[in-house]
Amino acid sequence: MITSTAVPVAIVGAGPYGLSVAAHLKALGVPVRVFGVPMGSWRTRMPAGMFLKSTPRASAISDPAGRLTLNDFRAAEGLAWVGDRYAVPLDEFIRYGEWFQGRCVPEVERAAVVRITPTPDGYRLALDTGEAFTARTAVLAGGFPPYATVPAELWPLVGAGLASHTSEHADLRKFAGQRVAVIGAGQSALESATLMHEAGAQPILVARTRQLLFGSPPETDRGGERPWPERLAKPASPLGPGWSFTAFSRATGAFRYLPDRTRAHLVRTVLGPSGGWWLQDRMQGRFPVLTGHEVASAEAAGGRVRLRLRGPTDVLEVDQVLAATGYRVDVERLDYLDPGLRRAVARRNAGAPRLSSSFESSVPGLYFTGLSAANTFGPLMRFVCGTGFASRRISRAIAAGNRR
Ligand SMILES: Cc1cc2nc3c(=O)[nH]c(=O)nc-3n(C[C@H](O)[C@H](O)[C@H](O)COP(=O)(O)OP(=O)(O)OC[C@H]3O[C@@H](n4cnc5c(N)ncnc54)[C@H](O)[C@@H]3O)c2cc1C
């Protein structure tokens, strides 16, 4: 079925960024159609039993009035106010996102966008329901899953069903009884290995870093309650205390003026691999950790895996490998974009879209938000706390364009 009337804005994605930009656009009177499973990535691409690393305050999805924070949700549910020392459980955050969606964007359509093709007056979007329609503007908020990265050494194992990326699992109990090499040193690696161990698997963490790092527990529930010399030395920010984090949170718009190499370096290194403060006791001493080791090659033998490592331990035999090896933004991975359209999007740093100050790509009317925008606007875009900055800029630009 082809719908003939053009919609002003189509939003691909109903996670925190898609929901937030929809809420901001609607508040400015811009009609939208929003596609995706609300909080879909959090439901199916993260492990049950996980906790958020961001504080409750930094986990608010931005709405135009700023009245739909996680604590507003808790109040509506009859739950007590929580501060920085509360680790938010995954299921609570999903319920919060769905509550936000019900209030701001109840019209979300649970359809997948399977193709976006340019037309003379905008974009033709084809849905998995068989419907196709035209939108003048498209905002891509499809999140992190398309960018999941597995090191090349593990590719042969993936084909054989012996290795997978963390983003493929919502339930790690399926590994119970198995010996699993978990590759990585970030929160995802440390938490996945811990959850697996607690579920009766035998994880072995393999990390390139010489030492695992963990955050420190916040001293107070409200950042503003810390003694003033400490606040001066390390001001509070949604990314954590410190001047550099404050700069990334407050001067987000300036990030795109940094030289390409500096931005690429900062995106890679700021908030590098480390575990949440509440994870350390649950993990340390519970299972083997091979720091200073790197996978050199991998082969399948008799339904098991033999990993050759660079490091003091040179061979590891396991039943499965779990790659907690992160995400790399690359427009080429967005297979729902017409190949010609993908080629037309100017890139920076080997694959990330080059964006304007209002998140518009080099293709007029095609916007990117969330992780796809981290190369342009910095680390804030990797987290829910970036929704306010992104949604305000995108919605104002689109509303202004609509009035012209
Ligand atoms: C394990 C893990 C833990 C994390 N913990 C934190 C944390 O503690 N705090 C924090 O701030 N951030 C955390 N993050 C980062 C977090 O993922 C992002 O902050 C947030 O999810 C970004 O929201 P988003 O809307 O851009 O993307 P997503 O949440 O990924 O949402 C994407 C949406 O797009 C939809 N979609 C995708 N493709 C299509 C399509 N073709 N058609 C229709 N719909 C589509 C999906 O169904 C989904 O609704 C974590 C990430 C991971 C992987």
Side-chain angles (χ1 to χ4, degrees):
M1 181 182 73
I2 298 187
T3 316
S4 57
T5 42
V7 177
V9 184
I11 299 172
V12 183
Y17 276 85
L19 294 174
S20 171
V21 73
H24 282 258
L25 280 162
K26 286 174 67 179
L28 294 176
V30 180
V32 295
R33 281 185 77 177
V34 189
F35 302 97
V37 177
M39 303 302 283
S41 303
W42 294 79
R43 227 171 232 300
T44 60
R45 305 295 196 141
M46 298 191 194
M50 174 191 121
F51 288 85
L52 269 69
K53 208 172 152 192
S54 53
T55 61
R57 223 160 12 118
S59 305
I61 305 172
S62 168
D63 68 294
R67 295 213 187 95
L68 301 178
T69 65
L70 184 82
N71 266 313
D72 292 318
F73 160 70
R74 287 182 60 89
E77 296 268 292
L79 299 168
W81 181 91
V82 284
D84 291 356
R85 287 180 293 193
Y86 178 74
V88 183
L90 174 65
D91 57 347
E92 179 177 333
F93 188 68
I94 293 173
R95 283 191 289 120
Y96 161 56
E98 290 174 345
W99 174 82
F100 182 102
Q101 180 251 320
R103 305 216 149 197
C104 288
V105 206
E107 68 274 34
V108 168
E109 298 171 54
R110 289 172 171 263
V113 174
V114 292
R115 202 51 150 187
I116 303 185
T117 325
T119 65
D121 49 357
Y123 298 94
R124 180 180 183 276
L125 283 87
L127 306 181
D128 63 352
T129 57
E131 185 194 352
F133 68 98
T134 305
R136 282 206 294 279
T137 302
V139 180
L140 307 188
F144 60 89
Y147 301 133
T149 301
V150 174
E153 302 81 54
L154 299 178
W155 291 351
L157 299 180
V158 174
L162 293 169
S164 52
H165 189 271
T166 41
S167 63
E168 294 170 50
H169 302 283
D171 185 356
L172 296 170
R173 286 176 306 183
K174 70 176 86 147
F175 292 105
Q178 298 192 52
R179 195 169 142 85
V180 185
V182 179
I183 317 293
Q187 169 71 6
S188 206
L190 307 188
E191 191 165 33
S192 297
T194 303
L195 287 167
M196 268 186 198
H197 168 74
E198 290 169 351
Q202 294 122 45
I204 300 155
L205 192 83
V206 180
R208 265 196 310 231
T209 48
R210 300 249 151 245
Q211 198 191 349
L212 297 183
L213 300 175
F214 292 89
S216 325
E219 287 156 32
T220 61
D221 268 330
R222 299 175 199 263
E225 282 169 356
R226 292 178 303 147
W228 72 262
E230 209 179 292
R231 273 185 281 147
L232 196 64
K234 288 191 162 198
S237 90
L239 295 174
W243 279 105
S244 61
F245 294 154
T246 302
F248 293 127
S249 320
R250 298 250 177 101
T252 313
F255 191 85
R256 60 190 274 276
Y257 297 109
L258 295 171
D260 268 12
R261 281 180 57 181
T262 312
R263 274 185 301 93
H265 175 74
L266 290 171
V267 167
R268 230 186 15 256
T269 53
V270 172
L271 287 165
S274 77
W277 58 268
W278 37 262
L279 197 56
Q280 197 161 4
D281 286 347
R282 274 171 61 199
M283 123 163 222
Q284 276 191 335
R286 309 284 166 116
F287 48 83
V289 173
L290 301 179
T291 47
H293 284 76
E294 194 171 359
V295 177
S297 65
E299 62 188 51
R304 295 193 86 217
V305 176
R306 173 181 284 237
L307 291 178
R308 291 203 180 279
L309 304 178
R310 282 188 210 99
T313 300
D314 53 3
V315 176
L316 197 58
E317 293 203 355
V318 292
D319 299 306
Q320 279 282 332
V321 180
L322 183 68
T325 40
Y327 301 87
R328 195 170 69 79
V329 176
D330 184 354
V331 173
E332 276 312 313
R333 299 271 192 98
L334 303 179
D335 53 11
Y336 58 83
L337 286 186
D338 168 77
L341 185 53
R342 265 182 258 157
R343 277 195 299 277
V345 174
R347 325 277 172 88
R348 61 195 328 177
N349 297 338
R354 185 177 287 277
L355 302 177
S356 73
S357 59
S358 55
F359 290 71
E360 192 172 21
S361 69
S362 57
V363 180
L366 186 67
Y367 290 74
F368 288 79
T369 188
L371 182 61
S372 300
N375 249 289
T376 306
F377 294 104
L380 199 69
M381 297 298 115
R382 285 164 42 197
F383 302 97
V384 176
C385 56
T387 51
F389 177 82
S391 300
R392 276 189 294 276
R393 288 219 170 180
I394 297 171
S395 59
R396 281 178 199 153
I398 294 177
N402 270 8
R403 283 194 289 274
R404 279 201 290 272

